[in-house]
Amino acid sequence: MKLSARNQLNGKITNVEKGAVMANVKIEITEPGVITAAITKESAEKLGLSEGDDVTAIIKSTEVIIGK
Amino acid sequence: MKLSARNQLNGKITNVEKGAVMANVKIEITEPGVITAAITKESAEKLGLSEGDDVTAIIKSTEVIIGK
Amino acid sequence: MKLSARNQLNGKITNVEKGAVMANVKIEITEPGVITAAITKESAEKLGLSEGDDVTAIIKSTEVIIGK
Amino acid sequence: MKLSARNQLNGKITNVEKGAVMANVKIEITEPGVITAAITKESAEKLGLSEGDDVTAIIKSTEVIIGK
Amino acid sequence: MKLSARNQLNGKITNVEKGAVMANVKIEITEPGVITAAITKESAEKLGLSEGDDVTAIIKSTEVIIGK
Amino acid sequence: MKLSARNQLNGKITNVEKGAVMANVKIEITEPGVITAAITKESAEKLGLSEGDDVTAIIKSTEVIIGK
């Protein structure tokens, strides 16, 4: 099955911590790759984003799905 | 300002494509780092996740925020 | 109140499991209905999505809101 | 590859509409199945959720990933 | 219908901008109220969050559902 | 660092409740401000959204990032 999700980073689990309902999983990414961000055009313009800019891709941990 | 979002990957923009309302931004990640995923304990157990497993961190592009 | 969220599936709760902060709720959907997915055009083209394709709609449990 | 995402509904694409950056895909779900929602315990208690309750699972279309 | 979503801010639409597939809607919030954030315990501890701290609640526009 | 996330509401923490993996943080918003919602054009049209409408911005607590 191929996924529509643009970002698929390969890595190795370094830690699994379980609570009653949720679990926190640490994955050491071994190949950097490319991240695609779909943001509003308004944001892209307000930040003046353009090729070559140094930026940070910020992702909340609740948004990450794990494939194994 | 420090952010609660666990995943902050540094990179360089390689492409910006704008539509009427949304924009698609490609970021080449230059340092791999560690990804934290908060998933249900049920998922962690059904997939049998444990240290050393090779996995993929999957993130939809609409979930990525850009910091510059 | 009508909601902008395109996906509203009716069902019956079959299980509620509570932790300290989060809870996991199982809902048996009784009417299938239609799912709308807003994805990047790039994804739609890379997967070659078109009418009649058999696909899977994948949704992380942290993205589901319950209305009662 | 198995996914941590709890909700995987099978269906058939009935429509694909493309814009400049985003695309809207309609999927007719053919098997209802079970939806898992991870919500705060506070919400579960404020709504008084318990087995047998008739509820609606609400999902924004930007949160849906397509697997094919 | 009552919703499990903890954050429901009342306001008035000041602008609607439509593209081919997506639309951008500006809502002027008229009553401030309280925002609930469910984050990882790890984040809460790394940021040293405690009562009385001045903070910013950050929400991507693709995560906002509109009720009318 | 400036963020692409359109919604950044300033406030003060009134409560922090920690579980094993997740934490629930209450933030009293002190300045109302404007919320931007990126929804499908289809939703904007089905709800007939236009300037001056009284609406509610609905946000699940798992979607809120905290900056401090």
Side-chain angles (χ1 to χ4, degrees), chain D residues 19 42-43 58 60 62-63, chain E residues 3-4 6 21 62-64:
Chain D
E42 182 187 305
S43 280
I58 298 159
K60 200 174 167 175
T62 49
E63 306 296 356
Chain E
L3 300 175
S4 63
R6 288 300 79 199
V21 168
T62 48
E63 307 295 355
V64 181

Side-chain angles (χ1 to χ4, degrees), chain E residues 43-64:
Chain E
S43 280
E45 291 178 345
K46 288 229 171 127
L47 293 186
L49 300 180
S50 57
E51 278 187 43
D53 284 356
D54 290 311
V55 293
T56 304
I58 299 160
I59 301 148
K60 199 174 168 177
S61 57
T62 48
E63 307 295 355
V64 181

Side-chain angles (χ1 to χ4, degrees), chain B residues 34-54:
Chain B
V34 170
I35 293 276
T36 301
I39 64 174
T40 58
K41 188 186 68 162
E42 182 188 305
S43 279
E45 292 179 344
K46 288 230 171 126
L47 292 186
L49 300 180
S50 58
E51 276 186 46
D53 284 357
D54 289 311

Side-chain angles (χ1 to χ4, degrees), chain A residues 1-4 6 20-22 36 38 61-65, chain C residues 17-19 22 24 39 42-43 46-47 56 58 60 62-63:
Chain A
M1 185 167 70
K2 286 164 64 184
L3 300 176
S4 65
R6 288 299 81 200
V21 168
M22 298 295 283
T36 301
S61 57
T62 48
E63 308 295 355
V64 182
I65 293 173
Chain C
E17 188 185 352
K18 291 178 192 165
M22 299 293 285
N24 218 353
I39 63 174
E42 183 189 302
S43 279
K46 288 230 169 124
L47 293 186
T56 303
I58 297 159
K60 200 176 166 175
T62 47
E63 308 295 355

Side-chain angles (χ1 to χ4, degrees), chain D residues 45-68:
Chain D
E45 292 179 344
K46 287 231 170 124
L47 293 185
L49 299 182
S50 57
E51 276 185 44
D53 283 357
D54 291 311
V55 294
T56 303
I58 298 159
I59 302 149
K60 200 174 167 175
S61 57
T62 49
E63 306 296 356
V64 182
I65 293 172
I66 297 177
K68 180 185 161 184

